[in-house]
């Protein structure tokens, strides 16, 4: 897991570093980071919006195929794939934004766990020296973050800068300049650090509430998403907020604030997308495209029948002329036979070969 977090943490760390350079405030940097990440995901969100409309329109056809070929799974799968191809629908389009969101979360956790590396670009040899000083003074420094030692390094340098004089005054000042607090709250801490009933638990709760608001709005904007026909969507409406609360309880609060910002911007994004890419308008456009496609297919069939008829008539005329020639030749031979006493009914085709 640490390897995955570090892989995604490298590119996201540069984004976070850039936002922190613009405004050296940790919470504001998180806010700018959220805006940038959401902006990068807009094309996928538009694709997901269109994909959800296509899926709703295809539901009756899907059910028809499933009922027709319920005893033939292979044929059923072939027909479903053909349907998806005709409708230009990809199963991946619906879950792609969520799949992309997970690496962002893992990467952000790594960015928060390693602030000296990502935000201050402290060299590895300096980090090694800090670690050595802390380990050499166990009575002075206490390691609290097994998975995030850089947070311990940061707090150690900020609380006892004189112990790290060998790093140089500029480096010590550079590390001390990083402030990961908001209104006195250390955003590198987990909300459950003081128990599940502390005020810090407001961060996971707010993340769950904003996730619920976003889910409800998205459900209302999804065509055909009523409780009677889409129980799966209803379940996801309440499952995602619960997952948000659980997840943000056991990660640094900076991730929780990112989750809150992400939900708020996601809600705004849904409203904007619904205005410019309204599901009803998309459905009407898809209906027009389908009608145009069917009309084109109908015209192609008419042209094919017309061409086949013309070709058939040409062959019929050619065969009729050949038959007439054969009959004339046969009649001439019959008369010669009557006159000269020798008659054989040769086929026209055989005479040609002869």
């Amino acid at each position: 897991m640490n390897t995955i977090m570090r892989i995604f943490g490298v590119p996201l760390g540069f984004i976070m570093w850039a936002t922190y350079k613009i405004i050296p405030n940790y919470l504001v940097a998180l806010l700018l980071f959220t805006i940038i990440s959401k902006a990068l995901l807009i094309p996928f969100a538009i694709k997901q919006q269109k994909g959800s409309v296509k899926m709703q329109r295809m539901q009756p056809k899907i059910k028809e195929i499933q009922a027709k070929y319920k005893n033939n799974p292979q044929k059923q799968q072939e027909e479903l794939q053909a349907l998806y191809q005709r409708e230009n629908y990809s199963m991946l389009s619906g879950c792609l934004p969520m799949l992309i969101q997970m690496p962002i979360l893992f990467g952000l956790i790594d960015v928060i766990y390693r602030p000296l590396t990502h935000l201050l670009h402290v060299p590895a040899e300096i980090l090694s020296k800090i670690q050595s000083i802390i380990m050499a003074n166990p009575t002075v420094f206490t390691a609290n973050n097994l998975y995030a030692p850089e947070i311990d390094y940061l707090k150690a340098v900020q609380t006892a800068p004189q112990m790290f004089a060998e790093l140089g005054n500029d480096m010590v000042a550079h590390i001390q300049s990083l402030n990961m607090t908001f209104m006195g709250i250390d955003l590198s801490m987990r909300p459950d650090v003081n128990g599940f009933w502390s005020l810090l638990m407001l961060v996971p709760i707010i993340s769950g509430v904003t996730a619920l608001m976003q889910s409800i709005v998205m459900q209302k904007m999804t065509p055909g998403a009523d409780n009677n026909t889409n129980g799966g969507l209803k379940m996801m409406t309440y499952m995602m907020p619960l997952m948000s609360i659980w997840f943000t309880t056991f990660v640094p609060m900076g991730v929780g604030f990112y989750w809150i910002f992400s939900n708020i911007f996601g809600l705004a994004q849904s409203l904007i997308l619904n205005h410019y890419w309204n599901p009803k308008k998309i459905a009407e456009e898809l209906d027009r495209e389908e009608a145009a496609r069917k009309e084109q297919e109908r015209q192609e069939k008419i042209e094919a029948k017309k061409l086949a008829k013309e070709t058939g008539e040409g062959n019929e005329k050619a065969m009729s002329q050949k038959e007439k020639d054969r009959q004339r030749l046969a009649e001439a031979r019959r008369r010669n036979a009557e006159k000269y006493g020798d008659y054989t009914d040769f086929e026209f085709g055989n005479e040609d070969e002869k």
Side-chain angles (χ1 to χ4, degrees):
M1 182 62 73
N2 286 338
T3 302
I4 296 175
M5 288 167 55
R6 293 198 174 194
I7 290 174
F8 293 110
V10 171
L12 297 179
F14 278 102
I15 297 176
M16 188 71 173
W17 169 81
T19 59
Y20 189 76
K21 290 290 287 185
I22 295 172
I23 302 179
N25 180 289
Y26 194 77
L27 189 66
V28 175
L30 273 175
L31 178 61
L32 293 177
F33 177 90
T34 308
I35 295 174
I36 294 172
S37 63
K38 279 294 182 182
L40 293 175
L41 293 177
I42 286 178
F44 299 102
I46 295 174
K47 191 172 184 178
Q48 182 185 33
Q49 180 93 341
K50 294 181 178 180
S52 65
V53 176
K54 286 185 177 181
M55 175 52 72
Q56 289 296 328
R57 291 178 70 256
M58 289 191 300
Q59 281 301 320
K61 299 177 183 179
I62 291 174
K63 291 180 179 179
E64 182 181 348
I65 292 174
Q66 290 173 339
K68 185 176 181 179
Y69 300 104
K70 62 180 180 180
N71 297 324
N72 191 343
Q74 183 177 354
K75 181 64 175 176
Q76 181 183 117
Q77 189 63 29
E78 290 175 358
E79 291 295 322
L80 288 175
Q81 290 298 328
L83 174 63
Y84 295 151
Q85 188 173 3
R86 286 197 305 271
E87 296 290 339
N88 193 25
Y89 176 79
S90 172
M91 295 294 290
L92 188 62
S93 63
C95 57
L96 190 58
M98 185 176 295
L99 293 176
I100 296 176
Q101 185 75 3
M102 294 309 295
I104 292 178
L105 281 175
F106 288 133
L108 183 62
I109 292 174
D110 186 68
V111 171
I112 294 175
Y113 277 176
R114 299 198 298 154
L116 301 184
T117 296
H118 293 295
L119 294 184
L120 299 183
H121 289 175
V122 176
E125 58 270 19
I126 297 296
L127 296 176
S128 181
K129 287 183 181 180
I130 295 174
Q131 182 184 26
S132 299
I133 295 171
I134 291 176
M135 293 179 65
N137 297 274
T139 57
V140 179
F141 304 109
T142 302
N144 296 317
N145 293 281
L146 179 62
Y147 297 103
E150 286 192 21
I151 292 177
D152 285 335
Y153 300 169
L154 173 64
K155 293 178 180 178
V157 174
Q158 289 179 337
T159 56
Q162 69 280 359
M163 300 286 293
F164 300 91
E166 65 180 270
L167 302 180
N169 293 332
D170 292 341
M171 179 58 67
V172 171
H174 182 54
I175 295 174
Q176 285 185 311
S177 67
L178 179 60
N179 184 5
M180 296 182 67
T181 63
F182 170 68
M183 297 180 64
I185 301 174
D186 187 354
L187 299 184
S188 67
M189 291 193 308
R190 289 172 25 168
D192 65 331
V193 68
N194 294 326
F196 291 102
W197 303 107
S198 69
L199 289 177
L200 299 181
M201 285 299 296
L202 285 175
V203 173
I205 292 173
I206 294 174
S207 73
V209 171
T210 53
L212 178 62
M213 293 171 57
Q214 183 183 11
S215 297
I216 291 175
V217 170
M218 290 181 66
Q219 181 181 354
K220 291 183 178 296
M221 291 181 178
T222 302
D226 55 82
N227 294 338
N228 295 327
T229 62
N230 208 327
L233 184 60
K234 180 182 177 182
M235 182 180 69
M236 290 297 293
T237 299
Y238 299 101
M239 282 296 296
M240 289 304 296
L242 292 176
M243 288 179 61
S244 297
I245 294 174
W246 179 84
F247 181 78
T248 54
T249 298
F250 302 105
V251 294
M253 282 186 291
V255 178
F257 273 97
Y258 164 78
W259 199 268
I260 293 170
F261 294 152
S262 181
N263 290 336
I264 293 173
F265 282 111
L267 176 61
Q269 179 178 276
S270 297
L271 295 172
I272 294 172
L273 288 178
N274 188 68
H275 177 74
Y276 289 100
W277 288 274
N278 185 274
K280 184 177 180 180
K281 294 181 179 179
I282 294 175
E284 291 174 352
E285 180 182 349
L286 292 174
D287 287 338
R288 288 193 296 268
E289 291 178 359
E290 183 177 8
R293 185 177 67 251
K294 288 182 177 180
E295 177 62 21
Q296 182 179 357
E297 291 174 355
R298 189 180 72 85
Q299 291 295 335
E300 289 175 354
K301 289 180 180 179
I302 292 174
E303 292 295 327
K305 288 181 179 179
K306 184 178 179 181
L307 181 61
K309 184 177 179 181
E310 292 175 351
T311 305
E313 288 178 351
N315 291 336
E316 184 179 350
K317 290 178 181 179
M319 291 299 293
S320 298
Q321 185 62 42
K322 188 175 182 180
E323 180 65 20
K324 290 177 181 179
D325 292 341
R326 189 192 70 80
Q327 290 176 357
R328 282 197 297 267
L329 182 58
E331 179 63 21
R333 286 177 174 172
R334 187 185 65 79
R335 291 175 181 175
N336 287 337
E338 289 178 352
K339 184 175 181 180
Y340 299 107
D342 183 17
Y343 169 69
T344 302
D345 185 11
F346 292 100
E347 290 292 337
F348 181 67
N350 293 335
E351 180 65 23
D352 286 343
E353 295 174 358
K354 186 175 178 180

